[in-house]
Amino acid sequence: MKKNLGGVWRFSLENVSHGFFADDIWSKDYDDSQWRRVSVPHDWDGDNFLGERRTADGTDELVEDSGWYRCHFAADGTMGQKRVFVEFGGVSKHCKAWCNGYYLGRHENSLMPFRFDVTDALKGNAQDVVLALKVEQGKASGARWYTGAGIGRPVNIRYVGDCYFEEAGVIFDGDYSGLFSVRVNLLRDDINVLPNAKEKHVAVRFTLSDSDGLVLFRGIKNVDLKNGEGRLVSFKGLLQNVRCWSPAYPELYHLHVELICDNSSEPSDVYDSPVGFRSFVFDSAKAESRNSRSDVHIPMLAS
C-alpha cells in the first residue's frame, strides 16, 4: 500500500551566514507551529519571497542555501505488521532525514529517487509520526542549469510485507520493434523473525496495459525464498503493433508488477509505472536516430 505525503508540510529557511535558531530541529517534539505551511512538491527558490540575493561568477545564489521541512501524520493501524519505507522522488540538492528523532541517512542527488526504511523508527506503537528533512542547496548555484531547491518531487510512504521490491528493483526496457524485458529484484526480509522459518512461496506477476487499460501482455513466475534471500526474476516478450514514444507522439503504456506470498489474497508489494517503447542513438552522419527513423534535432537555448 502506498500513501502520498504531499499535503501540508512545515518549512523554514536556514541562513548559513548567521546560523540557525535551534540544534534539535530534527527531534520529534520540536515546536514548528510557527513555520510556513507548504505543499510538496515545493521549490523555495521559485516562491519569490526570499528577496535578498547575491551574485557570484555571473549567476545568482541564495543567501539562504539550506532549508528544513517537517511533516506530521498519523500512523496507520497496520504499520506494526508491515515494513515501512518513505520514498522521495527527488530532493535538490542534498538532504539528511530523520523520523521521530531517529536519523535515517543522507542522500546526494537532485533528480534520482531514493527511500529510507523507517520501520524501526515506528516501533513502540507510535501514533504520531514526524518526518524531518534538512535540504542543502549548497553555496554553488546550478550555473546555467536550474536544479531547484527543496523537495521537488512527490513523497510517498509505502507499506510492504515480508517480500518486497528492492530499491529501484523493477526495470523495464522496450525498443521500437516491440521487444521488451521486465527485470524484478525482490527480497525477503521478515519483520518478525521466527526460528526455523520455512521458505516462502512467492508469485511474481506482471501485466502490460495500453492507455485505455486493456491488458496486452501478462506473465507469472514462482520462486521460493528463505529469510534474507534475494532473487532476480526476468520476463521477456514481443508486443505486436507497438506504438513508440516520440516527442510528437508520446505514447505510453502501463506496467503493473505484484508479489504474492504463500497464496495470500493481499499482495506483499505492488509496483505501478508508465513505460514507453523507444530506441535512441546518435550517428555522425544522421545527427540523431530515434525509433529507427533519422531526424535532425538540435535543441537550442534562448538567449
Side-chain angles (χ1 to χ4, degrees), residues 131-189:
L131 291 176
L133 202 72
K134 180 180 181 181
V135 182
E136 300 168 321
Q137 172 66 355
K139 295 182 179 180
S141 71
R144 69 182 64 176
W145 306 116
Y146 177 68
T147 58
I151 305 177
R153 294 186 176 181
V155 181
N156 295 296
I157 187 164
R158 179 187 292 273
Y159 312 100
V160 303
D162 290 337
C163 298
Y164 55 88
F165 304 114
E166 295 198 44
E167 186 172 6
V170 180
I171 302 173
F172 176 88
D173 183 38
D175 68 17
Y176 72 93
S177 69
L179 287 171
F180 70 89
S181 66
V182 181
R183 287 174 288 168
V184 181
N185 288 278
L186 62 147
L187 176 69
R188 176 185 170 186
D189 189 5

Side-chain angles (χ1 to χ4, degrees), residues 94-274:
H94 317 304
C95 71
K96 297 178 182 178
W98 292 258
C99 179
N100 286 351
Y102 291 88
Y103 180 63
L104 301 176
R106 177 181 175 89
H107 181 79
E108 299 187 5
N109 190 291
S110 297
L111 303 176
M112 295 296 293
F114 61 97
R115 73 184 186 187
F116 292 115
D117 188 336
V118 299
T119 307
D120 291 340
L122 299 177
K123 290 181 178 179
N125 298 317
Q127 297 300 310
D128 300 317
V129 183
V130 179
L131 291 176
L133 202 72
K134 180 180 181 181
V135 182
E136 300 168 321
Q137 172 66 355
K139 295 182 179 180
S141 71
R144 69 182 64 176
W145 306 116
Y146 177 68
T147 58
I151 305 177
R153 294 186 176 181
V155 181
N156 295 296
I157 187 164
R158 179 187 292 273
Y159 312 100
V160 303
D162 290 337
C163 298
Y164 55 88
F165 304 114
E166 295 198 44
E167 186 172 6
V170 180
I171 302 173
F172 176 88
D173 183 38
D175 68 17
Y176 72 93
S177 69
L179 287 171
F180 70 89
S181 66
V182 181
R183 287 174 288 168
V184 181
N185 288 278
L186 62 147
L187 176 69
R188 176 185 170 186
D189 189 5
D190 293 357
I191 297 175
N192 300 308
V193 180
L194 301 176
N196 302 318
K198 298 180 180 180
E199 290 186 330
K200 286 195 173 183
H201 178 76
V202 184
V204 185
R205 302 174 180 173
F206 92 94
T207 58
L208 186 66
S209 307
D210 64 13
S211 57
D212 295 323
L214 178 64
V215 175
L216 306 174
F217 215 101
R218 67 175 73 242
I220 181 171
K221 288 188 177 180
N222 300 301
V223 296
D224 293 315
L225 293 178
K226 299 177 181 178
N227 186 36
E229 185 178 10
R231 191 73 56 86
L232 170 63
V233 177
S234 299
F235 300 90
K236 292 184 179 180
L238 174 63
L239 187 62
Q240 302 293 335
N241 302 315
V242 64
R243 300 193 303 270
C244 293
W245 184 98
S246 71
Y249 301 98
E251 298 283 352
L252 290 175
Y253 295 81
H254 182 82
L255 177 67
H256 174 86
V257 188
E258 62 182 23
L259 305 179
I260 305 294
C261 291
D262 291 336
N263 298 314
S264 172
S265 59
E266 178 185 355
S268 185
D269 200 0
V270 175
Y271 175 89
D272 287 283
S273 179

